Amino acid sequence: MIDIVPETPALHAVAIEDLFDRTFGPGHFAKTAERLREYSASVPEVNRVAVVDGDTVVGVCRVWPLKVGKRGDRALFYGPVAVSPAWRGGELGLKLTEAALEAGKAAGWPAAVLIGAPAYFGRIGFTVTPRGRLTFPGPQDQSRVMVRDLAGDASVLEGLVTGA
């Protein structure tokens, strides 16, 4: 049985980093999305971890605070989302992301930003932003930049996206 729980860094951090390395390889640190995570800390109370047998990590959705545009609008950046190979195919990644979205909304965060596959994440309410609406500290495929309302309105987000 899989339980989806908030991240407890002391219990989960090492296993999560191992899962990221196995899922994405060492090259994931070169991606533009990593520029948003540098010098920032994820939000453990919003992060969600899938565990089996009480403590074996088989999936994760990490979430990071952002500032967007000249006004400094607050948002959460969802990802990376990773699922252990043995647990793929059952929509665990979507379930983790949905649980983290609900936690972000409950915590009062206005909006969610995600870089990913529209066909996949569109199933849980993410929509692709108009080209150029959100810019990043490095190259980014604009067709994969998506937003979703949480406790506010994601459509107001516009400008440079930076880590908070």
Side-chain angles (χ1 to χ4, degrees), residues 45-101:
E45 64 272 16
V46 177
N47 296 344
R48 288 299 180 259
V49 180
V51 295
V52 293
D53 299 328
D55 63 354
T56 302
V57 174
V58 297
V60 63
C61 175
R62 272 215 173 136
V63 182
W64 309 80
L66 297 175
K67 287 188 180 176
V68 180
K70 292 180 182 176
R71 296 183 339 184
D73 289 319
R74 295 175 349 122
L76 288 174
F77 184 56
Y78 282 73
V81 177
V83 175
S84 182
W87 294 91
R88 291 184 190 150
E91 298 190 350
L92 182 55
L94 286 178
K95 291 173 186 172
L96 280 161
T97 306
E98 282 183 303
L101 288 164

Side-chain angles (χ1 to χ4, degrees), residues 9-142:
L11 295 176
H12 302 126
V14 172
I16 289 170
E17 291 305 322
D18 180 61
L19 179 59
F20 287 154
D21 289 345
R22 287 184 287 122
T23 302
F24 303 114
H28 78 284
F29 291 109
K31 294 182 177 182
T32 295
E34 285 298 320
R35 303 299 67 82
L36 299 175
R37 298 179 191 113
E38 284 179 334
Y39 315 113
S40 185
S42 69
V43 186
E45 64 272 16
V46 177
N47 296 344
R48 288 299 180 259
V49 180
V51 295
V52 293
D53 299 328
D55 63 354
T56 302
V57 174
V58 297
V60 63
C61 175
R62 272 215 173 136
V63 182
W64 309 80
L66 297 175
K67 287 188 180 176
V68 180
K70 292 180 182 176
R71 296 183 339 184
D73 289 319
R74 295 175 349 122
L76 288 174
F77 184 56
Y78 282 73
V81 177
V83 175
S84 182
W87 294 91
R88 291 184 190 150
E91 298 190 350
L92 182 55
L94 286 178
K95 291 173 186 172
L96 280 161
T97 306
E98 282 183 303
L101 288 164
E102 287 302 317
K105 182 177 182 177
W109 287 87
V113 176
L114 183 138
I115 298 171
Y120 184 73
F121 290 105
R123 294 166 37 196
I124 57 172
F126 280 94
T127 59
V128 175
T129 62
R131 182 171 288 291
R133 164 126 338 149
L134 296 178
T135 57
F136 294 84
Q140 186 53 59
D141 179 352
Q142 291 286 307

Side-chain angles (χ1 to χ4, degrees), residues 146-159:
M146 296 175 281
V147 297
R148 183 185 138 160
D149 296 346
L150 292 178
D153 183 1
S155 71
V156 302
L157 298 177
E158 184 171 2

